[in-house]
Amino acid sequence: MLKYIYYTLFLCAFSFNSSAQKQSESHQNTSKTQPKLVVGIVVDQMRYDYLTRFYSKYGEGGFKRMMNEGFNCKNNHFNYVPTYTAPGHASIYTGTTPKYHGIIGNNWYEKETKSRVYCADDASVKSIGTADKAGKMSPSRMLTTTFADENKLFTQQKGKTIGISVKDRGAILPAGHTADAAYWFHGKEEGVWISSSFYMNELPKWVEKFNKSKTAKSYLKEWDTFYKIDSYVESGADLNAFEGGFKGKETATFPYDLKSLQDKNGHYNILKTTPYGNNLTTDFAIAAIEGEALGTDAFTDVLTVSYSCTDYIGHNFGVNSKEVEDAYIRLDKDLERFFKVLDKEVGAGEYVVFLTADHGAIDVPAYLESHKIPSGYLNNDERKQKFNDFLVKTYGSTEIVENISNDQIFLNKAKIKALGLKLEDVENAIVAEQMTYPHVSKAYTRTTMISTDFTEGIEDLVQKGFNQKRSGDVMLVNDPAYISYGKTGSTHGSGLNYDTHVPLLFFGKGIKHGETLEKTRIIDIAPTISALLGISFPNAAIGKPLEYVLE
């Protein structure tokens, strides 16, 4: 009997050891096929045609390296509106749309509190690295997981996740809920990278060292074109009527003396509207790779990098400006040095990178008008006055509407009930009224959004951007190329091609070389990376893996 017990124990031990060995071998085999590091790059406000328009100005090691060694999805689009920064970053990394992840704008009207909220603000956390409230941020308003979250769960928290961007939302939303850290740039008089207590109680030593290095200060210098300005034939004249510029400088023309302009332009904040802010982002991302030893063990790490300054430059100077062209020429150089660091620190062929954008941008409508293209600016004051007159005439009060923002009208349900009205009737009446206004192209009710399943057209895009709990009661769509913005600079937000068509490049471990004109969607990125890693898709992902991209 005793001999039998010993024999049984021996078999159990042997079985356990064999199982453990097989699991260990399985993990080792998996780790050999998986990239050591996933780098997600989002270029804020990058239209697809910036790849082709400035192609001759790019070197071989940045954008062209991704195209020549990796896979180029040439017909990649956002499949919802609004095309803003926060929804864009959330959708790229969650594989779903605002309908599910809940980030319906950069800011939105919150019906429960009847107040305007910011996509990443969080009063329950503390700023880390500054006394300013700029650090009181977290991903708590995002309702779903990112592929970075799923990688953390898959690796039992052993794979690191770090998010980096000049903008807080560009760092926080991609990194997800389980990130080890997210860092964003706090300008003003400080010029430092900060975080929040959602992630940590104090900045790591490598971040403190970077902030003390005065790297940010070194970029307060002259901004002139990288190449001779006469060679910038891919963009318009330097002096024109379609650009904003900086306070303290009479014209929006090169060169710009940032040191002398900083006092009138937010001190270190001026860097955000120059390519030097992107240089600073690259510097910090490289410091993070080294400081966090990313991609150096058997567990896949995730680094999310968002280049925000192209957005600020586009908003200020416009799509056709020499400033935008120079920003992309310099960003190409940044990508090249970034990839060289990845080759050295992680190993060439041991990491994977994707590059896309959070939205595109429209040409300055005043510029389009000068070329006889239908375009223009919305007269919001006139529209508001007409709408108020309608509300008073029809319902006796403007109080029936609580808020108008992000092309949505939020109704006062209590007031409607007190007046003995049916909500659906009020919605329909407002749609009929709005459709009589100049440059309102379409209008949809909340009832329509939750009762009709659209599969194509602008209706489909609006529906995929509609969150039943957070969105308004009437959704408005303006005429193509008509915007609510100043007369200089570009903006975004629509469901038209200039806002939805953005680059999508993959390269690195597990990626084929090739290109496609087949339509891909921004929500396909996260499932593709998840499939590459062999992990669960983000929990609300509706995108599909791009099989032809993967080896």
Side-chain angles (χ1 to χ4, degrees):
M1 184 69 177
L2 188 61
K3 182 184 292 187
Y4 174 78
I5 294 173
Y6 283 142
Y7 180 70
T8 302
L9 290 173
F10 170 77
L11 286 178
C12 290
F14 178 79
S15 175
F16 176 81
N17 289 334
S18 297
S19 176
Q21 183 178 353
K22 286 179 181 178
Q23 289 178 2
S24 177
E25 288 174 353
S26 174
H27 175 73
Q28 288 173 4
N29 291 334
T30 302
S31 66
K32 288 177 182 178
T33 59
Q34 289 179 337
K36 292 182 177 180
L37 176 66
V38 175
V39 181
I41 298 176
V42 178
V43 184
D44 207 319
Q45 202 186 116
M46 185 177 183
R47 292 162 50 119
Y48 172 78
D49 65 352
Y50 290 163
L51 277 182
T52 54
R53 197 170 122 208
F54 307 138
Y55 187 86
S56 64
K57 292 292 194 299
Y58 296 145
E60 296 300 318
F63 290 117
K64 285 184 180 178
R65 180 177 176 187
M66 296 195 76
M67 288 185 273
N68 292 336
E69 296 181 19
F71 202 97
N72 185 0
C73 298
K74 295 182 173 183
N75 191 19
N76 184 60
H77 288 262
F78 279 87
N79 65 328
Y80 65 86
V81 290
T83 43
Y84 296 141
T85 295
H89 282 80
S91 298
I92 290 164
Y93 287 86
T94 63
T96 191
T97 70
K99 180 178 182 179
Y100 299 106
H101 62 58
I103 303 299
I104 64 171
N106 294 332
N107 303 272
W108 62 84
Y109 179 71
E110 189 173 68
K111 289 179 273 191
E112 292 79 8
T113 61
K114 300 188 185 305
S115 63
R116 194 167 175 81
V117 298
Y118 177 61
C119 61
D121 63 7
D122 188 342
S124 71
V125 301
K126 298 177 182 178
S127 297
I128 302 296
T130 179
D132 193 279
K133 64 180 182 180
K136 294 174 72 63
M137 304 286 168
S138 83
S140 60
R141 296 190 189 279
M142 186 167 66
L143 304 175
T144 64
T145 63
T146 65
F147 75 76
D149 287 323
E150 297 300 334
N151 185 63
K152 291 286 285 188
L153 295 172
F154 181 83
T155 63
Q156 301 300 311
Q157 309 298 314
K158 295 182 179 71
K160 286 185 178 180
T161 301
I162 306 292
I164 294 170
S165 176
V166 161
K167 292 182 181 178
D168 48 42
R169 56 188 180 271
I172 292 168
L173 299 175
H177 303 275
T178 59
D180 297 270
Y183 300 103
W184 51 98
F185 184 69
H186 177 54
K188 297 183 179 179
E189 290 82 14
E190 294 184 68
V192 293
W193 291 88
I194 65 171
S195 191
S196 90
S197 60
F198 180 84
Y199 307 99
M200 64 193 72
N201 294 319
E202 60 183 10
L203 295 177
K205 297 297 181 185
W206 69 265
V207 178
E208 290 182 348
K209 181 181 178 181
F210 188 95
N211 284 338
K212 291 175 182 177
S213 70
K214 299 183 179 179
T215 304
K217 187 175 183 180
S218 72
Y219 288 117
L220 291 172
K221 58 183 180 179
E222 184 179 83
W223 173 25
D224 204 352
T225 54
F226 189 85
Y227 298 118
K228 289 184 179 180
I229 196 168
D230 292 345
S231 71
Y232 283 30
V233 295
E234 298 82 5
S235 47
D238 193 28
L239 180 61
N240 60 72
F242 313 119
E243 301 177 15
F246 294 110
K247 294 178 182 177
K249 192 174 191 303
E250 189 173 338
T251 60
T253 54
F254 283 105
Y256 299 96
D257 182 358
L258 303 184
K259 191 172 183 179
S260 66
L261 292 170
Q262 63 171 315
D263 289 346
K264 293 183 178 180
N265 294 274
H267 299 279
Y268 282 104
N269 280 346
I270 196 173
L271 294 178
K272 298 178 180 180
T273 316
T274 77
Y276 297 144
N278 286 337
N279 294 157
L280 184 63
T281 302
T282 304
D283 295 337
F284 192 74
I286 290 171
I289 290 169
E290 297 168 351
E292 296 289 344
L294 297 178
T296 59
D297 61 22
F299 300 95
T300 301
D301 298 323
V302 176
L303 174 64
T304 74
V305 181
S306 180
Y307 286 105
S308 305
C309 301
T310 42
D311 183 66
Y312 290 110
I313 294 167
H315 277 295
N316 193 339
F317 298 98
V319 163
N320 200 46
S321 65
K322 294 200 184 305
E323 286 80 1
V324 162
E325 179 168 359
D326 192 66
Y328 280 89
I329 289 170
R330 291 175 180 272
L331 177 59
D332 182 61
K333 304 296 183 187
D334 260 335
L335 293 175
E336 181 172 2
R337 74 181 174 101
F338 187 38
F339 296 157
K340 285 181 178 178
V341 170
L342 290 172
D343 289 341
K344 179 183 176 183
E345 298 295 328
V346 183
E350 293 296 334
Y351 61 90
V352 66
V353 180
F354 70 81
L355 182 147
T356 189
D358 55 347
H359 52 74
I362 186 176
D363 261 298
V364 179
Y367 169 74
L368 295 176
E369 284 179 309
S370 73
H371 289 281
K372 302 179 181 179
I373 295 175
S375 56
Y377 298 89
L378 303 173
N379 190 330
N380 288 325
D381 290 338
E382 182 180 291
R383 186 187 284 189
K384 182 179 180 180
Q385 185 59 55
K386 279 188 175 182
F387 189 46
N388 283 342
D389 290 345
F390 161 77
L391 294 174
V392 171
K393 181 179 178 180
T394 308
Y395 303 109
S397 171
T398 61
E399 292 179 9
I400 205 166
V401 171
E402 282 187 352
N403 179 268
I404 302 176
S405 56
N406 292 337
D407 292 322
Q408 298 177 47
I409 299 172
F410 294 80
L411 299 179
N412 186 331
K413 309 297 194 303
K415 185 71 174 178
I416 290 171
K417 185 177 181 180
L419 291 173
L421 302 169
K422 290 179 63 177
L423 179 60
E424 188 174 351
D425 291 342
V426 175
E427 291 175 353
N428 289 329
I430 288 175
V431 163
E433 172 68 14
Q434 288 286 329
M435 287 301 297
T436 68
Y437 297 167
H439 309 304
V440 175
S441 173
K442 296 181 183 294
Y444 306 98
T445 67
R446 173 185 180 83
T447 301
T448 299
M449 286 293 109
I450 63 177
S451 62
T452 307
D453 185 20
F454 298 106
T455 58
E456 60 182 9
I458 192 67
E459 296 83 1
D460 177 45
L461 302 187
V462 171
Q463 190 170 59
K464 284 186 170 63
F466 177 85
N467 182 277
Q468 191 169 351
K469 199 166 186 178
R470 293 179 175 179
S471 295
D473 299 288
V474 174
M475 275 56 66
L476 305 175
V477 178
N478 298 310
D479 281 344
Y482 275 82
I483 62 173
S484 179
Y485 202 65
K487 293 295 179 72
T488 60
S490 297
T491 192
H492 49 86
S494 79
L496 294 156
N497 284 327
Y498 51 73
D499 282 335
T500 67
H501 190 193
V502 297
L504 177 54
L505 302 172
F506 294 91
F507 100 108
K509 191 166 189 175
I511 302 298
K512 288 181 182 177
H513 171 53
E515 59 185 37
T516 184
L517 280 170
E518 182 178 324
K519 189 169 186 177
T520 58
R521 305 165 302 170
I522 209 74
I523 58 170
D524 296 330
I525 298 172
T528 301
I529 296 298
S530 295
L532 176 65
L533 298 181
I535 63 176
S536 294
F537 292 3
N539 58 16
I542 57 175
K544 298 179 180 179
L546 304 174
E547 292 184 60
Y548 46 79
V549 168
L550 305 176
E551 288 182 343

